[in-house]
Amino acid sequence: MSERNDADFRWPAIDPLDAYTTPERLARIDAVLRHRIVSITTVFEDVFDPHNIAAGLRTSEGYGLHDIHVIHNQFGMRSSSTVAKSADQWLDVRQHSSTQEAVQALKAQGFAIWVSDLQATETLTEMPLDPRIALVVGNAKVGISEEMRALADRRYILPMYGMVQSYNLSVALAISLEQLVPRRRAELHGWGDMSLARMWALRQRWLEFSQRHADALRRALQQEQA
Ligand SMILES: C[S@@+](CC[C@H](N)C(=O)[O-])C[C@H]1O[C@@H](n2cnc3c(N)ncnc32)[C@H](O)[C@@H]1O
């Protein structure tokens, strides 16, 4: 695990757009990048309600996650364009056309598949953290698919004590993140775990979002240097 600390931290270069960005904005971007966690990712399996996906994306970003996966099986395709729209500039969202394809891609990257499932018996607090965790939530109608259940490395339940039988999926995601992310952040001594190269690339992208005339500015600066 990374043990980066603020004193060691140096960007590989100076971005000319820094000069056109307020110090407050730069400080905010840099702090967010240093806290980005990529060893936990959120996966929405066949969620048809775009509002739920939008809420889940927002919550994931708020917890400092960066990579999100959205699987479109039977229902999900209807929400794909809304996902693309609501997946704002701050996240990387990958869409998959099947559960199998998504799980294969995640496992190839070393992610263990942790599925929130009303049929599970284990609870999140009992589970030792894997180095990389893909946290899966299912849709409001049928929940998690049988295929996902079979492919899962772990399945967990969020205990409930009331009369209702399940949480809204974006709420289930938020509760799961609250139980997981602080544990991972403690392992990271309060920091994130995104690579420096990726943070730098993202920083350039975010500076461009902050600068409406970024393209023109970059071109002008390059011509000046030529
Ligand atoms: C509204 S629930 C789905 C209800 C569905 N009728 C079922 O039987 O699974 C939507 C998703 O949120 C997650 N979820 C909701 N409450 C949960 C709980 N108490 N424990 C684990 N996951 C939960 C699961 O991923 C579930 O697929």
Side-chain angles (χ1 to χ4, degrees):
M1 290 286 168
S2 137
E3 294 200 8
R4 211 168 43 219
N5 79 47
D6 228 8
D8 301 332
F9 193 80
R10 296 279 179 276
W11 291 121
I14 292 173
D15 190 314
L17 289 190
D18 282 15
Y20 300 88
T21 312
T22 64
E24 294 76 20
R25 185 74 174 166
L26 281 178
R28 175 90 183 140
I29 287 177
D30 291 355
V32 168
L33 287 170
R34 288 202 300 270
H35 289 91
R36 247 0 186 200
I37 287 183
V38 289
S39 60
I40 301 178
T41 182
T42 301
V43 182
F44 298 91
E45 191 194 30
D46 221 15
V47 173
F48 48 81
D49 178 359
H51 299 107
N52 270 330
I53 297 192
L57 292 175
R58 190 178 175 136
T59 305
S60 302
E61 205 279 330
Y63 269 92
L65 305 194
H66 188 77
D67 295 315
I68 311 289
H69 296 260
V70 181
I71 302 172
H72 303 286
N73 289 333
Q74 194 187 347
F75 304 111
M77 222 47 222
R78 270 184 258 156
S79 61
S80 66
S81 58
T82 322
V83 172
K85 269 185 241 148
S86 61
D88 63 22
Q89 65 225 39
W90 309 118
L91 293 167
D92 281 334
V93 180
R94 184 163 165 197
Q95 306 204 48
H96 302 269
S97 55
S98 72
T99 292
Q100 195 192 14
E101 183 223 303
V103 171
Q104 242 170 27
L106 285 160
K107 290 200 173 184
Q109 291 174 45
F111 282 93
I113 311 296
W114 287 27
V115 174
S116 59
D117 184 2
L118 291 154
Q119 295 180 23
T121 49
E122 231 184 333
T123 62
L124 259 188
T125 44
E126 299 160 356
M127 291 162 43
L129 297 189
D130 285 312
R132 289 180 161 202
I133 298 169
L135 212 57
V136 186
V137 287
N139 79 39
K141 214 173 197 166
V142 295
I144 289 297
S145 71
E146 281 307 327
E147 190 181 14
M148 182 61 87
R149 251 179 216 119
L151 294 168
D153 295 295
R154 286 183 177 276
R155 295 190 296 122
Y156 65 89
I157 181 136
L158 302 166
M160 301 188 69
Y161 303 96
M163 295 296 282
V164 294
Q165 288 180 340
S166 66
Y167 292 113
N168 166 279
L169 69 96
S170 65
V171 173
L173 173 65
I175 297 170
S176 305
L177 292 176
E178 178 52 28
Q179 294 189 18
L180 269 187
V181 178
R183 288 168 65 194
R184 172 52 45 85
R185 222 177 263 294
E187 287 180 349
L188 295 165
H189 306 275
W191 298 105
D193 55 13
M194 187 178 263
S195 71
L196 186 57
R198 193 163 174 207
M199 282 197 288
W200 179 247
L202 207 50
R203 187 180 191 274
Q204 290 176 301
R205 200 168 104 199
W206 288 358
L207 283 180
E208 288 174 9
F209 287 138
S210 309
Q211 270 301 335
R212 277 193 299 149
H213 309 299
D215 281 351
L217 259 177
R218 283 210 193 277
R219 271 198 306 276
L221 290 164
Q222 273 160 9
Q223 274 167 10
E224 208 172 277
Q225 280 161 9

